[in-house]
Amino acid sequence: YLSMAACVAMYVVCMVEEGDFLSTVINPLCGASATTLRMYGARDAVQTHRDHEYWRVATAIFVPTGLLPLTVTMLFQFWIMAPLERLYGPVRLGSVFVLTGAFGHALSAVFVPAVLGTGPTGACMGVVALDMVHRYEWNFFKNIRRHETGILLFWSLAFLLLGAFPGLDNWANVGSYLLGLPLAVFVTTCGLRRGFRLLLCCLCVPLVVWALACVTLALVFVADPLHPCQWCLAATAIDAYDWRRFGDYHAELWRAAVSAAIASAEDNRWR
């Protein structure tokens, strides 16, 4: 419930700052402008890569892109996360939510660094992975249930569809989902024998550490917003640099990143 309250509070704060709650001129998803979202913690190229504000991969989780994704994630948190919170407790579920969300935004910052990243959709995908492990108890083909499979597929497709819009991307969604699977080993209390559960933990600990280390090093030393991966952009967003009719989120961010890099190069040349 704290995550729901935080997301709603940040949306209200951003829209009060913007002054228009239902406008789609500057944001096609009925949200704040890119400038306001960056002000309140969204992940972008300039602050994250130039100013080394890597904490934005975590704060971006609680900055909703707009009313549409906020509504979808609120419904998910009410119907899926609330029962899981009662079952596993707020600490364990909250840890998965924050860790997978931050990992997803970090992975997105590596593959599509020039794309504005906000919202909890990636963190929700991590909880989808946890819910899958919870429902099937590590034995999918034996315990398959059509109704529960349909629920998981519905939410997965909903978040992947949202990932095609500005401010959201599917690199964050997929990254959060992949990290959520091994993290579920430490959260779920499925009926596994103690020896097998210990073996799974021993296998997942180095896997999680390796994934976190690789993405962190890539974020700090490899990601380059001035030379983006074109196929990475094509895989995550609808016309990533062509949203001029709706305020041009990505082009605005791209111009800011290029201008900052040019200014930095000029400063270094004259020193």
Side-chain angles (χ1 to χ4, degrees), residues 3-177:
S3 61
M4 287 191 284
C7 291
V8 172
M10 286 305 301
Y11 177 76
V12 172
V13 169
C14 289
M15 297 313 296
V16 169
E17 176 74 24
E18 201 66 46
D20 191 348
F21 275 76
L22 298 176
S23 174
T24 59
V25 175
I26 56 174
N27 186 331
L29 302 176
C30 294
S33 65
T35 302
T36 302
L37 293 175
R38 287 198 297 269
M39 183 189 307
Y40 287 99
R43 174 193 59 78
D44 74 339
V46 178
Q47 280 87 358
T48 304
H49 299 283
R50 187 197 67 182
D51 299 335
H52 309 295
E53 296 179 358
Y54 301 116
W55 48 266
R56 288 180 177 270
V57 299
T59 58
I61 301 171
F62 304 102
V63 184
T65 311
L67 184 60
L68 174 60
L70 176 64
T71 302
V72 174
T73 54
M74 288 287 291
L75 291 174
F76 174 82
Q77 292 179 61
F78 181 77
W79 272 313
I80 303 297
M81 284 184 61
L84 290 175
E85 183 180 5
R86 289 191 291 269
L87 181 63
Y88 295 119
V91 175
R92 284 192 287 181
L93 185 65
S95 299
V96 172
F97 184 81
V98 174
L99 281 176
T100 56
F103 180 83
H105 278 296
L107 189 69
S108 173
V110 172
F111 285 101
V112 283
V115 173
L116 185 71
T118 65
T121 56
C124 290
M125 281 292 284
V127 177
V128 168
L130 170 65
D131 192 34
M132 185 184 74
V133 174
H134 161 72
R135 290 174 186 269
Y136 295 111
E137 297 181 349
W138 297 97
N139 199 341
F140 176 81
F141 294 104
K142 182 179 179 180
N143 298 329
I144 188 169
R145 307 176 183 90
R146 291 184 179 180
H147 173 67
E148 295 182 352
T149 303
I151 293 175
L152 294 174
L153 287 176
F154 168 79
W155 287 111
S156 299
L157 292 175
F159 292 132
L160 290 175
L161 179 62
L162 285 175
F165 287 91
L168 304 162
D169 68 87
N170 283 324
W171 287 107
N173 294 338
V174 173
S176 298
Y177 182 85

Side-chain angles (χ1 to χ4, degrees), residues 178-250:
L178 293 177
L179 186 68
L181 291 175
L183 283 180
V185 175
F186 309 106
V187 176
T188 56
T189 55
C190 49
L192 298 175
R193 288 179 298 180
R194 183 176 179 181
F196 184 55
R197 183 176 177 82
L198 181 61
L199 176 62
L200 281 176
C201 291
C202 292
L203 291 174
C204 290
V205 166
L207 178 61
V208 170
V209 172
W210 176 80
L212 292 175
C214 288
V215 171
T216 301
L217 292 173
L219 176 63
V220 176
F221 298 108
V222 178
D224 184 4
L226 298 181
H227 300 89
C229 170
Q230 296 300 324
W231 72 265
C232 296
L233 289 170
T236 189
I238 302 172
D239 294 329
Y241 290 117
D242 192 23
W243 283 88
R244 294 177 180 82
R245 192 160 59 92
F246 299 116
D248 206 0
Y249 264 42
H250 299 120

